[in-house]
Amino acid sequence: LCAQRKAAVSPYAVEGAHLASSSLAPVVVDAVHRIATDPSRLTERWLGEVVTGGVGEGPFVELVGVVATVVAIDTLARAIGADLSPLPDPESGAPSRVVPAGLALHSAWVPTVVPDQADGEVAAYYRDRVTNPWGFIGNIHRALTMVPGEQFSLCSLMEAMYIPVSRMGGADSPRVISIPQIELLAATVSVANECFY
Amino acid sequence: VLLRVSSDAVNLKPDLEAVVTAEPDDGAGVPAGSELRLFARAAIDTTGAGLETARSDLAGCLGGDGLVDAAAVVGFFNAFDRVADATGTVLDTVTHQLTNQMVPGVDLTRAIKAHGT
């Protein structure tokens, strides 16, 4: 189904359901497939249908964070020729359902925390981890702040696999490859993915 | 923008337009750029086409540690792009302006308007 949608002029013209071996709702399974396989053609209208289709904004943001984490780790594994890691067993416990202060629709299709209205751990995250050398916080570093834990996890992934925001634009690479080489890779991937952010 | 700024910091003059428009074997003026770009493109192609050769070429150029560093960056951006696209994150005004100044031939505004159509 993903291949048929990818080949279609509009991915929304191809109807169907994915095979699934979990108890996740079909709308969730479909969203995961679309984000994983054809992200550049996602639309605000699609997101609205997912959210009103029973997922909700907070769970959708969490879903995006989970998919992104798996994509990052799987891509790394494939790139170095390693086997894909099995998914861990789910842990018991209830979601935190924390709703941070300062949420507004201002930088994305989903609500994100406006920096000067943030408090607590989100304010600390903005101040200490993602204020760039030019003094502002990129919208991408706000994208998942509706679910702060997902945003913090994404930032940890970024610091481990790419570079910390404080190093951006500098000459001092924390890696074997130089910062321009790192940015060339980043730009090449984003161009290939047709991601205009 | 970050490629341009980081290149300025080490007196490098990359061909920014080539990153957007040229074939992947064009290194865009960055050391080992051709190997890096070919590896990045192959690593995100889920068919696996060309990946083994690209991996071997990059390792021969930058060593095993360089290969792992490159793979990590590719992995992260393959995910980061999905976060931006799935949440509809708007390009920062400053970044948008700088990009248009640096690569005037690339009409980013038009590209953004076409996004999702």
Side-chain angles (χ1 to χ4, degrees):
Chain A
L1 181 56
C2 285
Q4 288 174 18
R5 285 177 173 166
K6 189 93 177 168
V9 173
S10 168
Y12 304 100
V14 181
E15 296 185 356
H18 291 281
L19 296 174
S21 57
S22 76
S23 57
L24 291 171
V27 65
V28 172
V29 174
D30 192 71
V32 169
H33 277 273
R34 288 187 190 272
I35 295 168
T37 63
D38 200 5
S40 69
R41 296 198 291 175
L42 300 177
T43 65
E44 188 170 11
R45 179 178 171 183
W46 164 80
L47 184 147
E49 290 172 356
V50 173
V51 167
T52 58
V55 175
E57 285 181 323
F60 174 80
V61 168
E62 186 168 1
L63 180 160
V64 173
V66 171
V67 172
T69 300
V70 174
V71 166
I73 294 169
D74 282 359
T75 305
L76 166 61
R78 271 199 306 271
I80 60 174
D83 293 334
L84 300 185
S85 299
L87 293 172
D89 293 328
E91 295 181 7
S92 60
S96 71
R97 302 196 192 285
V98 168
V99 178
L103 281 175
L105 274 174
H106 77 290
S107 62
W109 297 332
V110 295
T112 62
V113 176
V114 180
D116 62 10
Q117 295 176 26
D119 67 9
E121 57 186 357
V122 177
Y125 157 79
Y126 278 156
R127 182 187 64 238
D128 300 335
R129 298 180 73 183
V130 292
T131 298
N132 64 31
W134 302 277
F136 69 93
I137 299 159
N139 289 341
I140 191 64
H141 301 299
R142 313 173 191 188
L144 305 182
T145 47
M146 188 176 193
V147 183
E150 285 302 328
Q151 185 69 66
F152 303 155
S153 292
L154 182 68
C155 186
S156 295
L157 209 58
M158 177 183 72
E159 291 166 347
M161 297 178 75
Y162 170 52
I163 52 174
V165 168
S166 61
R167 299 257 194 165
M168 288 180 179
D172 183 21
S173 175
R175 305 200 170 280
V176 171
I177 56 178
S178 69
I179 302 270
Q181 288 174 321
I182 290 171
E183 297 301 349
L184 179 66
L185 287 163
T188 300
V189 171
S190 295
V191 169
N193 283 335
E194 297 183 326
C195 177
F196 297 108
Y197 183 87
Chain B
V1 171
L2 289 172
L3 173 58
R4 168 66 178 274
V5 174
S6 62
S7 296
D8 283 349
V10 294
N11 295 317
L12 196 66
K13 299 291 179 201
D15 180 351
L16 299 178
E17 196 160 345
V19 178
V20 180
T21 61
E23 292 298 313
D25 61 350
D26 186 317
V30 174
S34 173
E35 290 81 1
L36 287 165
R37 293 188 72 221
L38 285 166
F39 174 71
R41 294 293 291 257
I44 63 171
D45 180 347
T46 53
T47 68
L51 179 55
E52 205 167 315
T53 301
R55 186 190 297 135
S56 173
D57 289 350
L58 186 62
C61 196
L62 297 175
D65 289 348
L67 171 68
V68 172
D69 277 356
V73 174
V74 169
F76 179 72
F77 270 83
N78 205 26
F80 215 32
D81 290 346
R82 283 166 169 75
V83 172
D85 285 339
T87 59
T89 297
V90 177
L91 187 61
D92 312 280
T93 306
V94 174
T95 309
H96 189 177
Q97 290 169 345
L98 287 172
T99 304
N100 282 339
Q101 286 170 19
M102 289 175 187
V103 194
V106 177
D107 187 348
L108 201 58
T109 305
R110 190 173 164 199
I112 291 168
K113 284 177 181 166
H115 172 71
T117 61

